């Protein structure tokens, strides 16, 4: 019987298939021995980022190319495993690395489309690609991927493969692995996520950018719904679970870079120190840095600084929109999104673009499609920029890029990013451990750390160091010095003729040092410095950590004409607060590696123990006592609202109101607040340290010292309290109590100060 005609095509197909199999088999036999070893999988060493924690365990910073948190499979909820399998590889637990049904389906799809459009990657093949191969879509890469999948499956269990996948897969936002993605997108660990949230994460591996739930919420939702349907079809969830998950409201975090505590300036300081110590390994070996920062202190400092700057900004009026975008022609959400692309929110100051503007109503568009109407009280701050009288480059009109925020009652209003900058830093004066640090209004906009990098004139906040030097020269808190006019030649000042003035322009005549510092009398400070000599004071201030070269030995030093940073002022004021010891501000307690081994422990010098004594304990006590009067009855009386008797400090304001300071302390906490412009210029009339910087300090201290008992500054040995006449400073049977060194008690009659007989005649005359 003759062979039927249809047998020849079948025979041809069989021969071609056999030949193809032989070729593939030969290729596999040649390539398989050249495949990489699996040591990288069997000895998995992921790149774990540098993580920085507060002293109370809050994560405040993370640095590294890959944001990752490694988990074991038993720490992964079953619903997430089900969602991953449903979305990526439903026959994962059945095949041996390659899903032939999937390969056939993909081959047919690619043949029909005329190109490589669809893959058939199993979870095992994705592990092979992620660890060993590129993502190019070629037949060669796919063939190698399949061979590696076979090799992996022959060496590792399904559980090991799945664990590698869960920890290694890229899920957008620099997140590698599902544990990291859970924290980034939802701010919670895997175990605390819902079925809907597990499905959302499981949908990301296919296209992390396309299905990003923040930047592409609509596409992400569609992908999530697909994963949920597949879970239901595979019997992984019930119909009720499907319905609940599908209708669940979005819970993804809108800001993907937030940490529980806002401490970006501080975290960057820690990062720089770790890089200096460990090099590039700092970003990959899973270092955990435990710092001195207290999270409640940091929150209070961050809020106080921003509030202080915004309050200052409101006092000086609205400056106009940040920029303008062309909104002519057809207006679509896509065009509006493009217009806002280069602008980002600054915490609660949200960016928006104006769609319509009228004196009584402004309508704006927010990224993501939200349209907001602002009216009535919400427009008051910017009212003068809404009319036709406003300059074209300041007017709020269609296309203007503006800032909006909600007030305490949840109502929207127009606002702006402050033009000035500020710094706030605090520490434990006994150890130098930094408790809070905010280097500016917004780290993402300006990464210049004003705490450590801003070299500014300290103004009157520098006077306590001159007064401290005077105590060592025989002055007392009761010494009477004349607050009267002075004139100096260029030779005396080192620059040009100078006639110093008091802030209020008045002269109050003879007064005690205590009163002079409380009222921040410039003429008294200059007379004191003239008496002890600028050269002596320049040498003396080095005890507090100041660089003498930045404080030239001229009489202008008395008014703070040198340059300092807020961090230097913090360390210097700590000397007064801790009884005379020099401590070094520090911010790292210890460093551990990824396995918990301690790599570094900081052992700070402690006041009264290992720290160096730099001034007499009696000096520190009397200066603290005088600075308590700055709060009680001087330039810092605003701080009385804290209702504490253990606060001391000094305001500082430089010429033309360029810099505003308040440096203050109590026995357990020292803090420094500063405000000014990056390009130095006036803050405005009456923007003094007491009006501008002190409120920031007060708002911080109100939280930092809450529930902290008052602790008095106790007189050390060698200090005596005597009654003196408040007018003359001489000993009196009736009068006020004043503290003195035991060897320099108040005189009972007029006499020259110790050492004053060596002063020039004109200096002695000016003192009294």
């Amino acid at each position: 019987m003759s062979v039927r005609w249809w047998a020849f095509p079948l025979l041809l197909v069989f021969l071609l298939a056999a030949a193809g199999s032989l070729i593939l088999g030969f290729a596999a036999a040649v390539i398989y021995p050249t495949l990489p070893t699996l040591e990288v999988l069997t000895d998995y060493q992921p790149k774990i980022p540098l993580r920085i924690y507060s002293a109370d365990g809050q994560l405040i910073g993370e640095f590294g190319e890959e944001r990752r948190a490694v988990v074991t499979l038993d720490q992964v909820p079953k619903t997430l495993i089900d969602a991953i399998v449903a979305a990526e590889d439903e026959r994962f637990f059945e095949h041996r690395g390659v899903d032939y049904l999937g390969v056939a389906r993909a081959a047919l799809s690619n043949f029909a489309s005329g190109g490589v459009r669809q893959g058939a990657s199993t979870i095992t093949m994705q592990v092979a690609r992620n660890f060993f191969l590129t993502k190019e879509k070629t037949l060669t890469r796919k063939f190698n991927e399949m061979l590696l999948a076979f090799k992996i499956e022959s060496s590792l269990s399904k559980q090991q493969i799945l664990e590698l996948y869960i920890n290694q897969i890229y899920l957008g936002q620099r997140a590698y692995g599902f544990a990291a993605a859970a924290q980034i997108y939802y701010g919670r660990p895997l175990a605390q996520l819902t079925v809907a949230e597990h499905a959302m994460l499981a949908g990301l591996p296919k296209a992390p950018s396309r299905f990003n739930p923040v930047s592409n919420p609509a596409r992400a939702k569609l992908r999530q719904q697909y994963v949920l349907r597949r879970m239901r079809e595979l019997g992984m969830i019930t119909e009720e679970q499907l319905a609940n998950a599908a209708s669940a409201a979005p819970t993804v975090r809108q800001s993907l870079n937030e940490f529980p505590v806002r401490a970006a300036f501080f975290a960057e300081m820690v990062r720089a120190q770790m890089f200096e110590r460990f090099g590039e390994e700092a970003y990959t070996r899973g270092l955990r840095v435990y710092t001195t920062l207290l999270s409640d202190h940091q929150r209070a400092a961050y809020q106080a600084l921003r509030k202080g700057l915004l309050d200052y900004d409101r006092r000086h009026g609205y400056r106009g929109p940040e920029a303008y975008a062309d909104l002519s022609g057809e207006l679509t959400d896509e065009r509006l999104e493009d217009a806002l692309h280069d602008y980002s929110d600054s915490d609660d100051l949200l960016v928006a673009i104006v769609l319509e503007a009228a004196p009584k109503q402004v309508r704006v568009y927010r990224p993501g499609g939200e349209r907001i109407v602002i009216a009535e009280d919400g427009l008051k701050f910017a009212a003068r920029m809404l009319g036709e009288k406003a300059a074209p480059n300041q007017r709020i009109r269609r296309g203007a890029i503006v800032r909006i925020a909600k007030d305490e009652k949840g109502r929207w209003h127009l606002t702006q990013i402050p033009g000035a900058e500020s710094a706030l830093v605090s520490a434990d004066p006994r150890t130098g451990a930094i408790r809070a640090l905010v280097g500016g209004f917004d780290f993402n906009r300006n990464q210049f750390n004003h705490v450590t990098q801003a070299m500014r004139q300290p103004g009157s906040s520098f006077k306590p160091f001159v007064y401290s030097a005077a105590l060592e020269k025989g002055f007392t808190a009761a010494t009477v010095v004349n607050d009267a006019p002075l004139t100096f030649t260029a030779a005396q000042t080192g620059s040009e003729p100078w006639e110093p003035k008091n802030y209020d322009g008045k002269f109050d005549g003879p007064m005690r040092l205590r009163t002079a510092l409380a009222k921040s009398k410039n003429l008294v400070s200059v007379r004191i410095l003239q008496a002890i000599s600028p050269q002596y004071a320049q040498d003396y201030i080095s005890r507090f950590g100041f660089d003498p070269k930045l404080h030239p030995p001229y009489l202008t030093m008395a008014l703070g004409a040198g340059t300092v940073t807020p961090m230097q002022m913090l360390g210097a004021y700590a000397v007064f607060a801790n009884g005379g010891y020099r401590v070094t501000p520090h911010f790292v307690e210890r460093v551990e590696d990824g396995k918990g081994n301690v790599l570094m422990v900081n052992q700070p010098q402690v006041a009264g123990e290992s720290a160096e004594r730099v001034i007499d304990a009696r000096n520190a006590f009397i200066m603290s006592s005088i600075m308590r009067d700055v709060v009680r009855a001087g330039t810092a009386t605003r701080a009385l609202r804290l209702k504490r008797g253990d606060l001391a400090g000094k305001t500082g304001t430089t010429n033309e109101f360029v810099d505003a300071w308040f440096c203050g302390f109590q026995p357990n906490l020292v803090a420094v607040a500063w405000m000014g412009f990056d390009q130095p210029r006036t803050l405005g009339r009456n923007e003094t340290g007491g009006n501008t910087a002190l409120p920031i300090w007060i708002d911080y201290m109100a939280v930092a010292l809450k529930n902290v008992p008052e602790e008095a500054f106790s007189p050390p040995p060698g200090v005596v309290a005597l009654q003196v006449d408040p007018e003359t400073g001489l000993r009196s049977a009736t009068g006020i109590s004043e503290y003195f060194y035991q060897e320099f008690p108040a005189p009972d009659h007029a006499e020259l100060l110790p050492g004053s007989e060596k002063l020039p005649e004109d200096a002695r005359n000016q003192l009294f």
Side-chain angles (χ1 to χ4, degrees):
M1 186 172 77
S2 62
V3 178
R4 296 183 181 273
W5 65 270
W6 45 263
F8 290 103
L10 283 179
L11 180 61
L12 181 61
V13 169
F14 174 78
L15 291 174
L16 289 173
S21 298
L22 288 173
I23 293 171
L24 288 174
F26 178 75
V30 171
I31 294 173
Y32 195 87
T34 68
L35 293 175
T37 64
L38 301 185
E39 288 181 2
V40 69
L41 301 183
T42 55
D43 184 25
Y44 183 48
Q45 298 291 333
K47 293 180 180 180
I48 307 297
L50 168 68
R51 291 195 175 95
I52 301 167
Y53 297 88
S54 65
D56 46 354
Q58 295 283 338
L59 180 65
I60 59 176
E62 189 174 81
F63 297 91
E65 289 183 15
E66 302 177 1
R67 302 178 71 173
R68 190 193 304 277
V70 177
V71 292
T72 58
L73 196 61
D74 59 6
Q75 295 173 307
V76 182
K78 184 177 184 302
T79 52
L80 176 60
I81 294 174
D82 289 342
I84 293 169
V85 170
E88 294 295 318
D89 187 359
E90 65 182 74
R91 283 180 285 275
F92 171 71
F93 291 103
E94 301 167 14
H95 62 64
R96 297 300 301 165
V98 176
D99 182 359
Y100 298 107
L101 292 177
V103 171
R105 183 176 61 250
L108 289 173
S109 174
N110 292 334
F111 179 78
S113 63
V116 182
R117 302 271 181 112
Q118 187 180 117
S121 293
T122 63
I123 287 175
T124 311
M125 292 166 69
Q126 290 183 59
V127 168
R129 180 169 67 244
N130 287 331
F131 279 94
F132 302 108
L133 303 170
T134 67
K135 293 185 178 181
E136 61 177 341
K137 292 185 176 181
T138 64
L139 291 175
T140 301
R141 195 270 295 160
K142 179 62 70 174
F143 184 63
N144 288 342
E145 188 178 291
M146 294 169 67
L147 291 179
L148 272 170
F150 288 133
K151 187 172 184 178
I152 291 169
E153 291 267 356
S154 66
S155 302
L156 303 178
S157 68
K158 289 288 187 181
Q159 287 71 27
Q160 289 174 305
I161 296 169
L162 191 57
E163 186 174 292
L164 287 167
Y165 178 84
I166 286 171
N167 284 308
Q168 184 70 17
I169 194 70
Y170 178 64
L171 299 171
Q173 300 299 141
R174 291 181 27 244
Y176 286 79
F178 284 89
Q183 287 291 345
I184 291 169
Y185 289 111
Y186 295 107
R188 285 174 280 133
L190 289 172
Q192 295 180 16
L193 301 189
T194 65
V195 173
E197 291 163 345
H198 285 153
M200 182 70 79
L201 294 181
L204 287 171
K206 184 176 179 65
S209 177
R210 181 180 177 83
F211 298 128
N212 186 306
V214 174
S215 59
N216 291 304
R219 289 175 178 169
K221 184 68 175 176
L222 291 174
R223 178 66 176 166
Q224 177 199 46
Q225 301 286 356
Y226 165 77
V227 175
L228 289 169
R229 287 196 305 273
R230 292 295 299 134
M231 293 176 73
R232 176 68 192 108
E233 291 167 4
L234 295 171
M236 296 171 171
I237 58 175
T238 66
E239 195 66 38
E240 182 181 4
Q241 286 177 302
L242 172 63
N244 291 338
S247 61
T251 55
V252 69
R253 296 164 63 180
Q254 292 305 303
S255 179
L256 297 181
N257 296 314
E258 288 186 356
F259 294 98
V261 181
R262 296 182 182 276
F265 288 98
F266 181 83
E268 170 57 23
M269 290 170 57
V270 179
R271 180 210 64 79
Q273 188 179 96
M274 292 301 102
F275 179 76
E276 184 179 351
R277 176 74 179 267
F278 298 101
E280 290 293 340
E281 282 193 352
Y283 306 133
T284 60
R285 60 185 293 191
L287 297 183
R288 294 195 294 269
V289 184
Y290 295 92
T291 69
T292 61
L293 201 78
L294 296 175
S295 59
D296 55 344
H297 282 232
Q298 181 65 20
R299 289 189 187 96
Y302 177 83
Q303 292 167 4
L305 182 140
R306 286 179 67 97
K307 179 180 181 297
L309 277 169
L310 289 169
D311 287 347
Y312 165 81
D313 209 56
R314 278 190 285 271
R315 291 197 294 271
H316 293 269
Y318 190 66
R319 299 185 303 276
E322 294 181 26
Y324 296 92
D326 181 9
L327 296 187
S328 59
E330 182 183 359
L331 196 60
T332 63
D333 284 6
E334 186 175 358
R335 281 190 62 198
L336 294 171
E337 293 287 340
D338 288 343
L340 293 171
H341 182 267
D342 294 331
Y343 302 89
S344 58
D345 296 338
S346 176
D347 197 356
D348 55 347
L349 303 189
L350 310 181
V351 67
I353 187 168
V354 174
L355 302 176
E356 297 174 8
K360 294 187 178 181
Q361 180 176 291
V362 172
R363 193 163 66 92
V364 302
Y365 175 92
R366 278 275 300 143
E370 185 180 11
R371 286 167 169 79
I372 297 167
V373 174
I374 307 170
E376 300 176 352
D377 290 347
L379 301 176
K380 283 184 177 179
F381 177 52
R384 66 189 185 93
M385 298 301 180
L386 283 165
E388 293 298 323
K389 294 182 180 180
N393 64 339
Q394 294 179 309
R395 186 182 307 145
I396 298 173
R397 53 180 170 81
R398 182 180 172 90
I401 308 297
V402 297
R403 296 280 163 175
I404 63 173
K406 282 185 176 180
D407 61 19
E408 307 80 32
K409 297 181 179 179
R411 298 173 300 191
W412 289 105
H413 61 94
L414 286 171
T415 185
Q416 64 186 355
I417 301 288
E421 272 292 0
S422 186
L424 179 61
V425 59
S426 71
D428 181 338
R430 296 163 301 187
T431 65
I434 291 176
R435 298 310 189 193
L437 186 151
V438 187
F441 186 79
D442 185 343
F443 181 81
N444 293 322
R445 292 176 60 86
N446 183 358
Q447 297 181 16
F448 184 81
N449 189 337
H450 297 85
V451 169
T452 59
Q453 296 175 290
M455 299 295 297
R456 310 293 293 223
Q457 288 190 339
S460 295
S461 64
F462 197 75
K463 289 177 182 176
F465 308 107
V466 174
Y467 278 58
S468 175
L471 293 184
E472 292 302 297
K473 279 289 194 177
F475 280 72
T476 74
T479 299
V480 174
V481 179
N482 197 11
D483 178 31
L486 279 172
T487 301
F488 299 97
T489 66
Q492 290 173 297
T493 65
S495 56
E496 56 189 26
W498 181 45
E499 188 176 351
K501 303 288 185 182
N502 289 321
Y503 167 70
D504 58 9
K506 300 177 182 179
F507 303 99
D508 293 339
M511 63 177 61
R512 290 172 292 119
L513 261 65
R514 177 179 291 275
T515 304
L517 188 61
K519 293 185 176 182
S520 199
K521 289 294 185 177
N522 290 340
L523 277 301
V524 173
S525 298
V526 173
R527 280 187 164 89
I528 292 171
L529 183 59
Q530 189 179 30
I532 65 175
S533 86
Q535 291 76 18
Y536 174 77
Q538 184 191 38
D539 179 64
Y540 184 83
I541 63 171
S542 64
R543 304 184 187 193
F544 296 88
F546 295 117
D547 182 351
K549 294 193 297 293
L550 300 178
H551 302 271
Y554 299 112
L555 294 176
T556 50
M557 185 199 302
L559 308 185
T563 54
V564 299
T565 66
M567 185 69 88
Q568 289 172 350
M569 293 296 274
L570 181 80
Y573 269 81
V575 175
F576 294 130
N578 67 30
Y581 296 92
R582 172 93 176 272
V583 294
T584 303
H586 68 280
F587 44 84
V588 172
E589 290 285 6
R590 73 182 189 280
V591 181
E592 298 178 358
D593 65 14
K595 297 179 180 178
N597 299 312
V598 177
L599 304 179
M600 185 179 89
V601 176
N602 190 24
Q603 296 179 326
Q605 294 179 324
V606 179
E609 298 177 13
S610 54
E612 177 189 4
R613 175 173 289 285
V614 291
I615 66 172
D616 193 310
R618 299 171 299 174
N619 187 311
F621 170 75
I622 292 174
M623 286 306 306
S624 297
S625 170
I626 296 174
M627 283 190 276
R628 285 205 301 277
D629 276 8
V630 175
V631 173
R632 290 170 179 168
T635 57
T637 54
R638 281 174 180 253
L640 291 174
R641 75 175 178 87
L642 293 174
K643 298 179 180 180
R644 299 183 67 97
D646 59 350
L647 302 177
K650 184 68 186 75
T651 54
T653 311
T654 60
N655 285 343
E656 304 300 327
F657 307 95
V658 171
D659 294 278
W661 295 80
F662 186 74
C663 309
F665 57 92
Q666 62 96 238
N668 300 304
L669 190 65
V670 57
V672 172
W674 164 87
M675 188 184 293
F677 287 97
D678 279 341
Q679 297 300 318
R681 60 185 176 89
T682 183
L683 287 163
R685 186 70 185 170
N686 295 325
E687 295 292 354
T688 63
N691 291 333
T692 306
L694 178 57
I696 297 174
W697 187 91
I698 292 171
D699 285 345
Y700 164 69
M701 284 293 200
V703 177
L705 297 180
K706 187 177 182 180
N707 300 323
V708 175
E710 283 193 24
E711 184 175 337
F713 293 91
S714 301
V719 169
V720 295
L722 301 172
Q723 297 293 110
V724 299
D725 184 321
E727 297 297 326
T728 66
L730 302 178
R731 196 177 309 174
S732 172
T734 61
I736 61 172
S737 180
E738 185 56 271
Y739 295 107
F740 298 89
Y741 283 20
Q742 193 170 25
E743 62 268 32
F744 295 140
D748 54 12
H749 62 279
E751 60 182 24
L752 289 176
L753 294 169
S756 61
E757 66 279 357
K758 299 177 183 178
L759 294 175
E761 182 67 25
D762 63 337
R764 292 202 301 271
N765 291 339
Q766 289 172 351
L767 275 172
F768 304 105

